[in-house]
Amino acid sequence: MLMLCMGLLLEKKSNVWIGMEIHLKKKRITVYDCFQKESNNIDIPQVKKLAVLISNLLVESSGDEVDKVKMIPFEIEQAQGLPKTKHPFNCGIFLVKILECQSLKIGDMTKINDDNALELRRTLSCEIFNQFVDESFGK
């Protein structure tokens, strides 16, 4: 299965992130939005533009001429059953953990919550430090 996962910063001032899973063969973008808000509307201009761009790039890479009339952008859908945060600054860590759970086929994401956000950050920081920081750090 050809699939990409990525994150997108919606607004610099609000620090709200969304995650996306892009299924190339199914021509579908699944949006992972964990920020709790009144509307579940996924009318996100950046995602709509990306849906058209990816479709155009795939046609271009095949060597065919791009016909904008026949161009079908990727379908956009909202992932369901995600943990939600009330704090925009928790969106990044929530998305990292949600995408991690998705890739490992873990369905229970109840431990991803605002109460555990600080511990999730600590754990991720330790993982990054252990994997990428030189052993001679601090010597």
Side-chain angles (χ1 to χ4, degrees):
M1 175 187 316
L2 292 172
M3 185 171 41
L4 305 167
C5 291
M6 63 186 299
L8 174 70
L9 178 63
L10 291 181
E11 296 178 22
K12 289 181 183 179
K13 292 180 182 178
S14 69
N15 202 22
V16 173
W17 288 80
I18 62 167
M20 291 177 289
E21 195 174 54
I22 302 169
H23 300 268
L24 297 176
K25 286 190 176 185
K26 294 180 182 178
K27 292 192 172 198
R28 183 177 65 225
I29 298 175
T30 304
V31 176
Y32 294 89
D33 185 2
C34 57
F35 186 56
Q36 185 174 324
K37 52 191 174 290
E38 293 177 20
S39 170
N40 281 335
N41 188 4
I42 55 170
D43 185 25
I44 302 168
Q46 296 96 319
V47 177
K48 288 181 176 181
K49 289 176 183 176
L50 183 64
V52 173
L53 175 66
I54 292 172
S55 189
N56 286 341
L57 288 173
L58 289 174
V59 170
E60 282 284 335
S61 68
S62 70
D64 296 339
E65 190 163 326
V66 178
D67 182 355
K68 291 185 180 184
V69 175
K70 295 180 182 178
M71 187 60 55
I72 301 171
F74 278 41
E75 172 190 341
I76 302 170
E77 69 179 17
Q78 177 93 24
Q80 301 299 314
L82 299 178
K84 298 288 185 183
T85 179
K86 296 176 184 172
H87 311 290
F89 52 83
N90 282 340
C91 288
I93 191 67
F94 272 46
L95 285 172
V96 168
K97 292 302 178 181
I98 289 169
L99 293 175
E100 192 175 287
C101 288
Q102 289 291 105
S103 68
L104 296 171
K105 306 277 190 250
I106 298 171
D108 180 17
M109 294 185 258
T110 55
K111 291 185 179 177
I112 303 172
N113 59 53
D114 285 328
D115 294 336
N116 290 354
L118 184 58
E119 185 57 33
L120 294 173
R121 276 185 175 60
R122 283 188 194 128
T123 304
L124 183 61
S125 297
C126 290
E127 288 175 12
I128 291 169
F129 184 84
N130 289 334
Q131 289 179 2
F132 301 109
V133 176
D134 188 41
E135 292 178 8
S136 63
F137 178 79
K139 290 185 179 179

